[in-house]
Amino acid sequence: MKKRKFLILLAALLLMAVPAMAVFTGLGLDATLSNLRRELYRDYTQISSTREKMESGYAVQHWKMVDIVKKCNDLSLMLYSQKQDYTFDISYALEKVAQEFTDFNKNRTPYDRIVSSLDVEINRYARLIESLRRLPPELRDVEVVPDSLAYHNDTLDAHLLQNASLLQQELQEQVEAVLAFNAAQDAASGEESVPAFILSEAGQTDRDSCLLYASELLKLYAETREQVIADSTHYREAMLRMEESYQYARDYYDILEDKVFVEGQTPWQSILKNPGEYWKATQDALAEKYSLSALREWIKNGYDEHDIEAITSDSRMYNVLKIYWVLIYFLSFFILWGLSALLLMPVYRFVKPIGKRVAKEQRRYLALLLGCVLFLILSYEGSNDDLVRQAIRIMHTFIGLLMAINMALIIRLEPDKLKNSVRIYLPTVFSALFVITFRVLFVPNAFLNFFFPPLLLCMVLWQLAANLRRSGKADQTDVVIGWVSFGITTIALGISWAGFIFLALIILVWWYFQLALILAILSVWDLMLLYKEERMDKRIEEYRNRITYVTGQAKEQLLFHATWFYDLIREVLIPLLVLCSLPACIYWALNIFEFNDLYRTIFEVPFLRQGEFQVSLYSILFLTGMFTVFRYANRAIRTLWQTFKYHRFLRKHNRKSIRNNEINLSLGNSLISVFIWFVYTDLFIITLNIPTRSLGLIAGGLSAGIGLALKDILNNFIYGIQLMGGRLRVGDWIDCDGVRGKVVDINYQTTLVETLFDTQVAFLNSSLFSKNFTNLTRNNAYELTIINVGVAYGTNFQKVREALEKGLAALMTKDKYGRDIVEPTYGHYIRFDDFGDSSVNVAVRQYVLVSEQVEYRYQCKELIYKILAENGITIPFPQRDVHMIESKNK
């Protein structure tokens, strides 16, 4: 049943596909025209929906173009109407133009692509109409298509016109011959036929229908193209005006930077010489900027919607309205702070765990934290006014950083020190508040020149008094930061008195941002220390107790599995936060004053450029941050590699412990380090855009000289790889050139050996091979040890052997890894060694662990002496008999 349904469905699909493929399969001219008519009819019946879709798309593009033109005009008027004495207004206008130009380039309407696409469709339909017209019998013209849209092939038309009579005669002869042939066929068959190369009546009808449908579609695309071209012209004009405004803004921005950071404003010393004149200038600037009398009259007489529109259109009244708006925001903030304190009071009273945990000294600051959150939520406003949105964004930034400072202090400090530390930071907070208020209100330069230096002097004195009064009561870290704040505020004061008011404003806002991030980083550090004390130390101890298969330094390295999170925060995250805090705070501070291009100049523009090679502050900070990441990755991967090797060794040999010198980790660790730092080197080269082609040429040119000069270094490097490959391991005992000791490190140039006297000797890797060093622990960990002792002549040797074998059994102990210090299968082997001058020499032979040999010799000699003494066996001392022979002549 299912198979039958499938065959029916397949047959239906084939029947549907046959007409659609008629144009491509060559079923005949009449069949092709019939299918073409159906396809064009389908498009023709949808022409209304197509027109609506194209008109809606055109309307969207049209209104976008209208908005762009309006915005371009607004920006031009705003930009060219700014006066030099209003730096805040100028910087806002310049940044607005730059931002709009950037957005304009990102969202540029593709008119050229739209017109090109329409041209393709128009050309296609025009050629189709011309092809239909020329089908025999050929039509002289197509009345439904304007001549401007018709397709013309000048070369073909000239050829047809030149040979018109000849072609007409040949066509007539062919038609007559075909008609005669068809007549004979008709007479024989009794049926009437149509010439094969001339359309039948049905074909001619299909052609006429195709011409009608194609011409209507052609007209639709032509009308749309004319509308798009009209809008494209206006759009291009707006684009040129936008580019003109942007170029003017760029030039003016350079002038503004010189005025703010190079030339400066009026020094305070000049104002003190003639304060009355500058006070008059300040009053005039305020009167020009703010219309207080008009606003009072407006409030007194009431207002409606039309009055609001009038106020917003009047810049002076609008600026005064912003003052009231700022005051209302400040008042709302303090109201929310008090309301938060009231809301938390029943929580502290009725929720006992919270009431006991939160000290009284912390409650007002928790209320401040909640008030900040409520303020951020309730003060959100989706205004269409860009100035209002920007002011709200700046105020939210200030409140957010205030929350960060408050939360960091609550986390870090004990309740009894919280109040005093907060008092240290109040001058910085209020300094930033004043600066941000000036920025939101767009105060004129004359006001800043006259009032800001004295105001900043008050902030400096306040900071000094706070530091002196709270230094013994606040946390020492906060005291140090307080003195740093005093120094930075003093520097800003000196800069403002010299006339660089806006530079001082930027410094104060930057320090406020920087202070918030510093305190946040310190709070993270304190939280990690608390985590280490309360949880991680216990976890380390538990993990240390679980690791029983290795000891010493190898065991400490494996503790990374327990400390990886703490190490990640301490070695990577906190350094990255410190590195990123400086550029981030400078960016935020410059963004407050619309000096974003200055940030790019400071950090992104290279200060060192040599051809393709370039170095910028951003690249230095980036590479420094990546260094901490790669260093941590190197340690983590090496630890994972060591863990894998240890567990694999234990499973393979069915062991429960591993000695320090049993597994060679040097080569694997070196390869991991080489790979990690090779990737970092590639990143370093790419970031600084170091030309690798030049490096290749230099390396090729100097390869011969470097090869000769660094022959020994290269030899040591190659020998180092061979040693790390397994010939020598850290922990092996070697004997080289009369020096015996334990290998403590193998690198690419030297091998470090710790001798029996606790001194370290460094052997060049090549010298180890040239001197044929002896690896005492390569095959096994035991070395034959012979201790000689002399007994008196006449002593029973069997008694000596039995006494020593029995007594030396006490030395058959194990080391800390559970290995036998003396090889048990061989034991102590007592042999008669030689006849000495004063004694019979006895050799005590045993195989002893190389690492325990020095201490074993001392213990063995001491025990031998004790055994012989207890058994009455004499150890003779050297004696010499001197016989005096008298001379016979005497």
Side-chain angles (χ1 to χ4, degrees), residues 636-654:
I637 296 175
R638 289 176 64 169
T639 303
L640 293 176
W641 160 254
Q642 292 176 11
T643 305
F644 169 76
K645 290 285 289 184
Y646 288 149
H647 287 286
R648 182 181 178 185
F649 179 86
L650 292 174
R651 288 194 301 267
K652 182 178 180 180
H653 298 280
N654 195 20

Side-chain angles (χ1 to χ4, degrees), residues 62 74 244 272 318 338 343 387 444 457 596 610 638 756 758 777-778:
H62 177 75
D74 293 340
E244 179 185 5
L272 290 177
Y318 182 66
L343 292 175
L387 289 175
L457 177 61
N596 294 335
Q610 189 69 31
R638 289 176 64 169
L756 301 176
D758 290 334
T777 54
R778 174 63 179 172

Side-chain angles (χ1 to χ4, degrees), residues 29-30 33-34 135 199-209:
L29 187 57
D30 289 343
L33 281 174
S34 177
L135 291 177
L199 294 176
S200 63
E201 292 183 0
Q204 295 182 29
T205 302
D206 290 337
R207 179 176 66 174
D208 294 339
S209 299

Side-chain angles (χ1 to χ4, degrees), residues 824-850:
T825 58
Y826 191 85
H828 296 92
Y829 202 62
I830 314 299
R831 284 292 179 267
F832 192 105
D833 183 57
D834 198 2
F835 296 97
D837 293 337
S838 304
S839 64
V840 175
N841 295 333
V842 179
V844 181
R845 302 165 62 92
Q846 60 264 300
Y847 283 92
V848 182
L849 284 173
V850 176

Side-chain angles (χ1 to χ4, degrees), residues 656-708:
K656 294 184 178 180
S657 63
I658 303 173
R659 297 190 300 272
N660 289 336
N661 61 342
E662 278 194 294
I663 299 179
N664 182 24
L665 299 173
S666 301
L667 182 60
N669 290 336
S670 299
L671 291 177
I672 292 172
S673 298
V674 168
F675 174 76
I676 292 293
W677 296 116
F678 177 78
V679 175
Y680 179 78
T681 303
D682 285 346
L683 182 65
F684 187 89
I685 293 173
I686 294 172
T687 303
L688 299 183
N689 200 21
I690 298 176
T692 55
R693 182 180 302 175
S694 301
L695 291 178
L697 293 176
I698 294 174
L702 298 179
S703 59
I706 291 175
L708 293 175

Side-chain angles (χ1 to χ4, degrees), residues 80 151 232 270 363 373 449 561 616 640 643 672 746 856 884:
Y80 301 137
Y151 173 76
S232 177
S270 301
R363 294 181 179 181
V373 174
N449 293 337
H561 293 287
S616 63
L640 293 176
T643 305
I672 292 172
I746 304 173
Y856 178 83
M884 304 294 295

Side-chain angles (χ1 to χ4, degrees), residues 227-240:
Q227 295 173 348
V228 172
I229 289 177
D231 280 354
S232 177
T233 303
H234 297 296
Y235 185 83
R236 182 166 181 79
E237 293 177 357
M239 181 181 67
L240 294 175

